[in-house]
Amino acid sequence: MGATARISNGVCLDVDPAGCERLVLDQIKAMGQTTRLGKGPRSVLVLGASGGYGLSARIVSAFGIGAPTLGVSLERAPCEKRGGSPGWYSNIAFDTAAKQAGIKAVTLQGDAFSEATKDQVVQVAREHQFEPFDLVIYSLASPVRTDPETGVMHRTTIKPIGQPAVALSLNLATGQLKQSTLAPATEEEIAGTIKVMGGEDWKLWISKLHEAGLLAPGVKTVAFSYIGPALSRDIYRSGTLGRAKEHLEATAHELTSLLKSSMGVACVAVCKAVVTRASAVIPAMPLYIAALFRVMKDMGLHEDCFAQINRLFRERLYTDGDILVDSEGRIRIDDWELRDDVQKKVLEIYKIVNNENVWEVTDFDGYQHDFLALHGLKG
Ligand code: NAD
């Protein structure tokens, strides 16, 4: 079995607008099938609102509690020669559904790393009379960032640090496995990845909104991190991306100090591995996710972006007590992924997986279905 869509290096080149819309409507429907949130935010800014965790956070805020949302993302509009990017259509679907439901929603298209977009958000929030935000979701995943001060463009590099690492990657079209060795990152590559995926831009956003008086007393701001198991440690947590996540996590503490006077809090939520456009290009992640899905589905523990965010809101961010965090102050909703019994079973799959049995012993079918669905396509 194989996909007919054009897929190259974890990137799908085909997009079906109607399918992208369906994906948003499915999440809104799933929200409608759960009980309404008892508590939640009243005014929400989502940075990275068009896909993955950011889109789910926007849907849960809007359709779980009726909160007005301002969403920012960087997506490609369709033109004569080419269709738009999936998030372009997801934004339209979200805006249309919110309008029909009478929920305020404003969507901006722009480079969230730039000063111009930050200024625009401040202006638009005032023009559209958003209450000061009491929830700011930071969910950007990007290959590049231009530093607004220096004008230098920095790049995300996904590599191990200190020594080479072997990665077993999965061809998303054919399911063929390939072993490759990744060379260790240079100091420049490490620094570049921290610049793009670390906490510097999150801090610029929160400082800007704070100075503009656009943060409500008791505001919560949440950015997403990943830790993962020993299996992916060389490539992820001990690699360049892990360094950036450490920086992001340290930034949360700085931001909490900044927000202290308004009783606000900045948190990092460590999420589980899911199929998104960002995770599809990380070497070794697709195979790991396919194995993880097999195990978590069999154990009745499977969660996608929507389920993770729904649990984040209900069981971590908006409870009667304090926000439950680990010893380093991080919210953990990767708790089920990292359970010993789950990881033990994932390791058992890794011991036997090969090109002949990958469809059978992992949930590559499910992975491929979700990956194509991100682009509006059916597996
Ligand atoms: P995604 O690719 O689904 O979404 C990324 C979003 O960022 C999109 O809305 C995109 O438009 C936006 N974006 C990218 N560059 C932008 C820019 N310059 N300006 C404005 N918007 C921009 O990614 P995702 O997987 O949901 O990742 C979101 C966060 O969650 C990341 O920090 C990621 O590390 C984290 N996370 C992901 C996983 C996973 O398995 N996918 C697990 C744990 C944590």
Side-chain angles (χ1 to χ4, degrees):
M1 191 176 167
T4 50
R6 292 171 302 152
I7 300 172
S8 169
N9 293 326
V11 177
C12 178
L13 306 173
D14 299 315
V15 178
D16 176 18
C20 294
E21 181 182 354
R22 198 170 47 237
L23 200 66
V24 173
L25 297 181
D26 283 350
Q27 285 194 47
I28 294 173
K29 195 168 155 203
M31 190 75 245
Q33 285 164 348
T34 63
T35 47
R36 208 175 154 80
L37 292 176
K39 286 177 167 193
R42 289 186 313 273
S43 180
V44 183
L45 173 63
V46 182
L47 304 164
S50 59
Y53 280 119
L55 174 61
S56 293
R58 193 175 193 194
I59 288 172
V60 172
S61 299
F63 291 90
I65 193 103
T69 60
L70 202 168
V72 180
S73 58
L74 187 61
E75 299 293 344
R76 197 185 60 243
C79 60
E80 222 174 87
K81 287 193 179 142
R82 226 176 149 189
S85 55
W88 177 267
Y89 302 109
S90 308
N91 283 338
I92 295 173
F94 178 88
D95 285 346
T96 307
K99 197 168 175 197
Q100 279 168 0
I103 300 166
K104 180 155 128 183
V106 177
T107 300
L108 294 180
Q109 175 63 24
D111 177 8
F113 297 131
S114 73
E115 196 56 29
T117 300
K118 293 182 175 73
D119 287 340
Q120 199 190 357
V121 163
V122 168
Q123 195 191 331
V124 166
R126 287 183 180 143
E127 270 171 22
H128 288 260
Q129 298 180 346
F130 273 83
E131 295 282 317
F133 300 114
D134 62 352
L135 178 64
V136 178
I137 296 286
Y138 189 85
S139 186
L140 302 178
S142 175
V144 289
R145 170 179 170 231
T146 301
D147 185 323
E149 260 191 38
T150 61
V152 173
M153 185 191 271
H154 299 279
R155 288 189 180 281
T156 302
T157 306
I158 307 172
K159 282 189 177 175
I161 292 177
Q163 52 203 11
V166 175
L168 201 51
S169 52
L170 187 56
N171 182 315
L172 301 188
T174 62
Q176 290 295 293
L177 299 169
K178 192 175 152 205
Q179 189 163 304
S180 51
T181 302
L182 299 180
T186 62
E187 286 303 321
E188 199 187 339
E189 288 171 329
I190 299 170
T193 308
I194 293 172
K195 271 277 187 186
V196 184
M197 292 297 289
E200 193 175 90
D201 180 63
W202 186 23
K203 190 173 164 187
L204 290 175
W205 268 106
I206 298 304
S207 305
K208 179 92 185 181
L209 297 165
H210 186 60
E211 280 158 25
L214 279 173
L215 296 180
V219 62
K220 294 177 171 75
T221 179
V222 182
F224 300 121
S225 188
Y226 184 66
I227 294 178
L231 202 59
S232 62
R233 194 167 293 152
D234 290 349
I235 306 278
Y236 197 96
R237 192 65 194 191
S238 303
T240 47
L241 279 176
R243 279 290 172 87
K245 291 302 185 192
E246 281 170 12
H247 188 272
L248 188 79
E249 289 164 18
T251 305
H253 298 297
E254 271 184 59
L255 293 181
T256 293
S257 303
L258 178 82
L259 298 172
K260 210 168 190 173
S261 58
S262 56
M263 309 283 284
V265 64
C267 314
V268 156
V270 185
C271 303
K272 81 175 272 274
V274 289
V275 183
T276 64
R277 297 180 72 207
S279 69
V281 295
I282 303 176
M285 276 313 265
L287 177 62
Y288 170 69
I289 294 176
L292 183 73
F293 276 19
R294 169 81 291 125
V295 173
M296 293 186 82
K297 283 181 183 175
D298 287 352
M299 293 173 80
L301 294 172
H302 178 68
E303 288 179 302
D304 55 12
C305 281
F306 170 76
Q308 278 268 288
I309 296 293
N310 193 25
R311 187 154 70 92
L312 172 70
F313 275 51
R314 287 173 196 273
E315 297 181 17
R316 300 291 191 274
L317 291 178
Y318 298 102
T319 64
D320 288 332
D322 291 338
I323 299 175
L324 187 68
V325 291
D326 69 9
S327 58
E328 292 175 50
R330 302 171 296 204
I331 298 173
R332 303 299 297 267
I333 42 169
D334 61 341
D335 45 353
W336 299 352
E337 170 182 351
L338 293 187
R339 270 172 45 164
D340 286 346
D341 52 352
V342 170
Q343 287 304 321
K344 205 168 151 236
K345 289 196 162 91
V346 170
L347 273 178
E348 280 163 16
I349 292 177
Y350 265 73
K351 279 187 201 145
I352 55 166
V353 68
N354 58 37
N355 274 327
E356 281 66 52
N357 65 15
V358 65
W359 293 90
E360 210 182 299
V361 300
T362 76
D363 182 33
F364 181 55
D365 239 340
Y367 184 100
Q368 204 184 50
H369 169 274
D370 288 4
F371 179 72
L372 293 172
L374 291 177
H375 302 82
L377 307 167
K378 283 191 180 150

